[in-house]
Amino acid sequence: MGSRGTIGILTGGGDVPGLNPAIRAVTVRAREEGYRVIGIRRGWAGLVEMVPDPDADNREHFLELTEGTVRRVGRTGGTFLHTSRTRPSHLPRSAVPDHLADSYAEEVNDVTPEVLRNLEFLGIDVLVPIGGDDTLSYGGRLHEEGVPVVAIPKTMDNDVPGTEYCIGFSTCVTRTIELVNRLRTSAGSHERFLVVEVFGRYAGFTALVPAMAGAADRCVIPEHPFSLEHLAQLLSQDRRNNPSRYSVTLVSEGATIAGDEEMTFEEGEADQFGHRKLGGIGERVANGLKRISPRFVGGRSVNVVSQRLAYLVRSGDPDALDAIVPTAFGHLAVDLIRRGELGRMVAVQDGVYDSVRVDVVTGSPKVVDVKRHYDADELRPRYTGLMGEPLLISASRRG
């Protein structure tokens, strides 16, 4: 054990570029400060499936991290510790490991006592979970149970409450702009509408910010149900005004057409956090635009290029911001641990690095402020009144 104690670190939920730089930063800094560092594999699953016995083979569940282990991983995307969507407080019977099957036989089980037992078995003094609000809400639960926690926020959607920035968001925006610009050649060559479906279950930042950067003429977001006819009219106008005779819209996966009772889902059951897999709204919009377009272009139907970006924007290496911010977050986490400021989440507030209580993630959702940042009539970002607004228009003013 390090002279200061042992820090455990894990990544949960979906992978994003920037996780490995955060793991590297925590490890290198913590080791320099005299801590031992344990990497827990596959998120909360590692702490559920581990067998708290010195003679058990737990190599699939944790490993000791050193400077040598993490030296090169910071240059790569994903998470070398791997991840899962396991929720220990709501574990279905089918996911209960064999050695716990006799003790947890309900359809849904809270195996938190086993997680606490395994943390004690590992000798972890402080836990650093990296994840979105689902992962971090369980981190908050563990803090309530007496486990010292310092959390790091990540998510492509940039929607973790309490912070203006989450690991993965910048790369998502960068990839979206890059991929949309590539798709323009096909849309322009055939004089079509281009419909691109992007991430964004409840918050539309991943559509709004790329659109603000010029990636699209229009964007539709979860916070504002939209009229398909109105979108068709606006895109037809944009296409008419474009010398190359095409136009582009970004569609958040959680966007809804006015009158819809729910979002558009793929087939399949919900995960352990109650989320069904989204997907298909982009195709619905594309089909609707083709059907409606004759009303606005002289009776002729406009064909549509429809593309769902999905994992293309969360794969590959991190961009510059998603190498810099995770590194800073990792060092901030160790600073908080050294000062004994536990039960915190590192954050960006008012444009500067800060920290907030970890339980903020279970508070009010972080979504686009439609009145301030979205022009609901024009279906695009609002470009007026930006003085004093956050850099990435993804936070609200304090007070």
Side-chain angles (χ1 to χ4, degrees):
M1 180 179 294
S3 59
R4 288 184 178 270
T6 299
I7 295 173
I9 186 168
L10 62 82
T11 53
D15 65 291
V16 300
L19 291 170
N20 285 335
I23 297 167
R24 178 183 61 183
V26 171
T27 301
V28 172
R29 173 68 183 285
R31 298 279 297 195
E32 288 176 352
E33 299 285 351
Y35 292 94
R36 182 189 184 209
V37 183
I38 296 292
I40 297 161
R41 303 190 70 248
R42 293 174 291 110
W44 298 121
L47 288 171
V48 168
E49 298 171 11
M50 190 179 305
V51 178
D53 182 339
D55 296 325
D57 184 359
N58 281 310
R59 288 176 294 178
E60 290 296 311
H61 307 311
F62 75 92
L63 70 161
E64 184 158 353
L65 301 182
T66 67
E67 293 90 332
T69 310
V70 302
R71 183 171 300 279
R72 294 184 180 181
V73 300
R75 308 169 195 168
T76 61
T79 164
F80 86 101
L81 289 177
H82 298 180
T83 185
S84 70
R85 297 189 183 275
T86 297
R87 187 182 187 186
S89 60
H90 293 71
L91 196 69
R93 183 166 57 186
S94 60
V96 174
D98 291 342
H99 70 282
L100 299 178
D102 292 339
S103 301
Y104 298 94
E106 301 295 328
E107 286 300 317
V108 178
N109 301 273
D110 184 355
V111 299
T112 299
E114 308 306 321
V115 172
L116 296 172
R117 186 173 294 114
N118 287 329
L119 287 169
E120 183 178 2
F121 167 71
L122 292 173
I124 289 175
D125 298 292
V126 182
L127 183 64
V128 179
I130 308 175
D133 51 2
D134 288 334
T135 298
L136 301 189
S137 64
Y138 187 71
R141 161 74 184 278
L142 289 182
H143 185 70
E144 292 175 356
E145 297 280 353
V147 178
V149 169
V150 173
I152 297 178
K154 72 88 197 164
T155 175
M156 308 295 294
D157 294 356
N158 204 37
D159 63 351
V160 174
T163 181
E164 294 171 11
Y165 190 81
C166 303
I167 296 172
F169 179 59
S170 178
T171 306
C172 176
V173 171
T174 299
R175 295 272 196 280
T176 299
I177 296 169
E178 178 183 300
L179 293 168
V180 170
N181 285 342
R182 291 185 184 182
L183 290 165
R184 288 175 183 275
T185 59
S186 290
S189 295
H190 297 274
E191 300 183 354
R192 295 174 175 173
F193 293 142
L194 172 58
V195 175
V196 180
E197 182 180 323
V198 298
F199 283 121
R201 177 178 291 267
Y202 301 116
F205 301 116
T206 49
L208 189 72
V209 175
M212 191 173 186
D217 302 292
R218 311 289 166 174
C219 63
V220 292
I221 60 177
E223 294 86 345
H224 180 75
F226 66 98
S227 161
L228 199 51
E229 289 78 6
H230 185 47
L231 177 62
Q233 181 181 17
L234 292 171
L235 287 174
S236 298
Q237 172 187 306
D238 296 331
R239 178 176 176 271
R240 191 164 50 249
N241 293 336
N242 185 344
S244 292
R245 292 295 184 269
Y246 76 94
S247 54
V248 184
T249 184
L250 297 180
V251 180
S252 298
E253 62 180 354
T256 56
I257 299 170
D260 283 359
E261 294 183 357
E262 62 178 4
M263 301 174 187
T264 303
F265 299 98
E266 291 185 355
E267 296 295 328
E269 297 180 354
D271 64 19
Q272 292 176 28
F273 290 92
H275 302 314
R276 292 168 59 194
K277 189 173 180 61
L278 289 169
I281 182 62
E283 196 65 28
R284 287 184 60 203
V285 169
N287 292 335
L289 290 175
K290 184 175 181 178
R291 184 182 71 253
I292 296 169
S293 59
R295 304 181 199 173
F296 306 106
V297 290
R300 294 185 177 183
S301 178
V302 178
N303 286 325
V304 184
V305 176
S306 176
Q307 183 66 56
R308 184 181 177 191
L309 296 187
Y311 287 91
L312 289 172
V313 299
R314 71 159 78 238
S315 59
D317 300 340
D319 69 4
L321 198 57
D322 274 326
I324 295 167
V325 175
T327 300
F329 276 178
H331 283 276
L332 286 165
V334 178
D335 284 342
L336 291 171
I337 292 169
R338 285 198 61 197
R339 294 198 298 265
E341 297 180 24
L342 307 172
R344 308 290 292 178
M345 179 182 78
V346 299
V348 174
Q349 288 273 353
D350 294 337
V352 300
Y353 291 116
D354 202 344
S355 74
V356 296
R357 289 166 53 103
V358 71
D359 59 9
V360 73
V361 301
T362 60
S364 300
K366 177 186 168 187
V367 295
V368 172
D369 187 327
V370 172
K371 289 184 178 180
R372 287 168 54 199
H373 298 144
Y374 185 66
D375 189 328
D377 294 324
E378 296 295 327
L379 301 182
R380 63 187 181 192
R382 187 178 297 281
Y383 296 103
T384 58
L386 290 175
M387 188 68 70
E389 293 296 316
L391 178 66
L392 296 176
I393 57 172
S394 58
S396 300
R397 295 188 187 94
R398 286 183 177 177

